[in-house]
């Protein structure tokens, strides 16, 4: 009987130990299964978002931004108006036509006592007749061709400078719009790369914390190293949150520029351009369009002053 009791006691102790051993293992397996399920759901959601995302190239984004750019449209209309004004200024070199009509009535002695044949008598006889007073409409057409028209020539020069200024302003507006679109478009890719780097840093920090805990359990490092690894993990997690906020901001800016719904996913298809390699020869200097526009405006204003002075000439 005592031997049987001892065996039963040993069996109970073993079963209790096995339960104590298997409970953390079951919890660990449950955590791994839940983590795997969440990862699988995240992958399915990612694939679904990519399948429903709208593909957007840089050329399409630039066209959409050009349609919504009201400032650029105003610059184009001003350029067309300046060209129409320049065409109208050429009228100063064309001949001027003028017509004049006058009704005239008067007595003239040369029209009296003029011989005439009287057909009412038989036989007809020659008599004299008076055809006065004389009246009628006198019309004339005058054509004036200016040989030297200083005011017209300066006005045409002023109009041409205005056209050049408006063209340069429109070109500068197109360059600014292209720059804004490129920044908003490729900033999404840049922020996406920063987010991926932050996520990799977060994974490395988690792995480093696990290694530090293992070394601390074995007595190889101090508790300060574990605390430092935990601080690195929190810093990496904060960087991931900041990167997620920045990529959301970049997508909202792109949607606002193109007139898209920020909720709808957009997939960038044009890759990020590579920087130009260093060159031994200097690149050709290109004048900025806004400086050209200001220079042409000054020339147009100067020509306008000369045009005003030329009004005193015949």
């Amino acid at each position: 009987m005592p031997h049987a009791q001892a065996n039963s006691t040993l069996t109970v102790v073993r079963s209790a130990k096995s339960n104590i051993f298997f409970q953390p293992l079951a919890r660990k397996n449950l955590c791994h299964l839940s983590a795997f399920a969440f990862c699988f759901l995240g992958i399915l959601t990612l694939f679904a978002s990519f399948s429903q995302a709208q593909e957007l190239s840089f050329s399409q984004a630039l066209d959409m931004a050009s349609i919504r750019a009201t400032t650029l449209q105003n610059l184009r209309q001003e350029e067309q108006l300046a060209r129409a004004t320049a065409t109208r200024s050429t009228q100063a070199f064309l001949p001027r036509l003028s017509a004049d009509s006058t009704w005239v009535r008067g007595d003239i002695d040369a029209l009296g006592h003029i011989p005439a044949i009287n057909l009412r008598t038989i036989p007809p006889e020659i008599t004299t007749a008076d055809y006065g007073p004389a009246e009628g409409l006198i019309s004339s057409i005058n054509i004036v061709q200016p040989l030297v028209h200083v005011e017209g020539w300066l006005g045409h020069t002023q109009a041409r400078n205005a056209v050049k200024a408006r063209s340069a302003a429109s070109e500068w507006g197109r360059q600014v719009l292209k720059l804004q679109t490129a920044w908003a478009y490729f900033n999404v890719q840049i922020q996406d790369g920063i987010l991926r780097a932050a996520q990799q840093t977060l994974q490395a920090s988690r792995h480093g914390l696990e290694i530090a805990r293992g070394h601390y359990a074995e007595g190889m490092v101090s508790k300060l190293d574990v605390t430092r690894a935990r601080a690195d993990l929190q810093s990496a997690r904060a960087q991931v949150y900041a990167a997620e906020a920045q990529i959301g901001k970049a997508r909202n800016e792109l949607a606002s520029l193109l007139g898209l719904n920020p909720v709808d996913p957009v997939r960038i298809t044009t890759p990020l351009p590579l920087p130009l390699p260093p060159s031994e020869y200097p690149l050709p200097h290109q004048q900025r369009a806004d400086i050209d526009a200001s220079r042409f405006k000054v020339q147009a204003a100067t020509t306008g002053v000369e045009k005003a002075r030329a009004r005193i000439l015949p």
Side-chain angles (χ1 to χ4, degrees):
M1 291 297 293
H3 182 68
Q5 291 179 357
N7 290 335
S8 61
T9 304
L10 182 60
T11 304
V12 172
V13 171
R14 287 180 178 177
S15 62
K17 288 183 178 180
S18 62
N19 291 333
I20 294 173
F21 176 75
F22 281 111
Q23 283 179 359
L25 184 60
R27 290 181 180 176
K28 189 174 182 180
N29 291 333
L30 183 60
C31 292
H32 283 296
L33 288 176
S34 60
F36 178 75
F38 280 116
C39 291
F40 184 72
L41 291 176
I43 292 173
L44 288 180
T45 305
L46 183 63
F47 276 109
S49 62
F50 273 110
S51 61
Q52 297 177 359
Q54 177 184 359
E55 294 184 356
L56 183 66
S57 63
F58 178 70
S59 59
Q60 293 176 351
L62 188 59
D63 293 339
M64 296 172 66
S66 300
I67 295 174
R68 290 178 52 84
T70 56
T71 304
L72 183 60
Q73 294 176 4
N74 293 334
L75 291 175
R76 290 174 180 173
Q77 293 177 359
E78 291 177 358
E79 181 182 358
Q80 294 177 0
L81 181 60
R83 292 184 183 277
T85 304
T87 304
R88 188 179 59 183
S89 65
T90 57
Q91 296 178 358
F93 307 105
L94 299 177
R96 297 179 180 178
L97 301 178
S98 60
D100 187 15
S101 298
T102 305
W103 181 264
V104 179
R105 177 184 175 88
D107 294 333
I108 302 176
D109 296 337
L111 299 178
H113 304 288
I114 296 177
I117 299 175
N118 189 5
L119 300 177
R120 297 179 180 179
T121 62
I122 299 174
E125 58 182 10
I126 298 175
T127 59
T128 58
D130 190 3
Y131 292 97
E135 59 181 0
L137 184 66
I138 299 177
S139 301
S140 63
I141 297 177
N142 301 323
I143 300 177
V144 179
Q145 174 63 49
L147 299 178
V148 179
H149 200 306
V150 180
E151 182 181 358
W153 178 258
L154 293 176
H156 182 63
T157 305
Q158 181 185 9
R160 287 189 303 174
N161 290 332
V163 170
K164 293 179 181 178
R166 293 302 179 185
S167 300
S170 298
E171 180 62 26
W172 176 247
R174 286 190 290 268
Q175 292 178 5
V176 171
L177 179 63
K178 187 175 182 180
L179 179 61
Q180 292 178 352
T181 307
W183 168 251
Y185 182 84
F186 293 111
N187 190 32
V188 176
Q189 291 186 357
I190 295 174
Q191 298 300 329
D192 191 14
I194 294 175
L195 177 60
R196 289 197 298 268
Q199 290 175 350
Q200 292 178 0
T201 304
L202 179 61
Q203 293 179 0
S205 300
R206 288 174 179 172
H207 186 61
L209 179 59
E210 293 178 358
I211 293 176
R213 287 175 177 175
H215 288 174
Y216 176 74
E218 295 176 0
M220 298 176 61
V221 296
S222 63
K223 191 174 182 180
L224 179 61
D225 295 330
V226 179
T227 305
R228 186 180 294 111
R230 188 179 292 109
D232 293 340
L233 178 61
Q234 297 296 332
S235 177
R237 187 176 288 112
Q239 291 179 1
V240 170
Y241 293 154
E244 290 177 350
Q246 289 297 326
I247 192 173
K249 179 181 177 182
R251 292 185 179 276
N252 290 334
E253 290 178 352
L254 180 62
S256 177
L257 180 63
L258 304 183
L260 300 176
N261 189 1
V263 181
D264 298 336
V266 176
R267 187 162 62 90
I268 305 301
T269 58
T270 303
L272 188 68
L274 298 177
L276 294 176
S279 177
E280 298 179 359
Y281 302 97
L283 296 176
H285 178 69
Q286 184 178 3
Q287 187 72 18
R288 288 177 48 176
D290 57 340
I291 299 178
D292 290 338
S294 300
R295 180 166 56 87
F296 287 132
K297 286 181 180 179
V298 172
Q299 292 180 1
T302 304
T303 308
V305 174
E306 296 177 356
K307 175 185 175 182
R309 292 176 181 176
R311 291 178 180 176
I312 62 176
L313 298 176

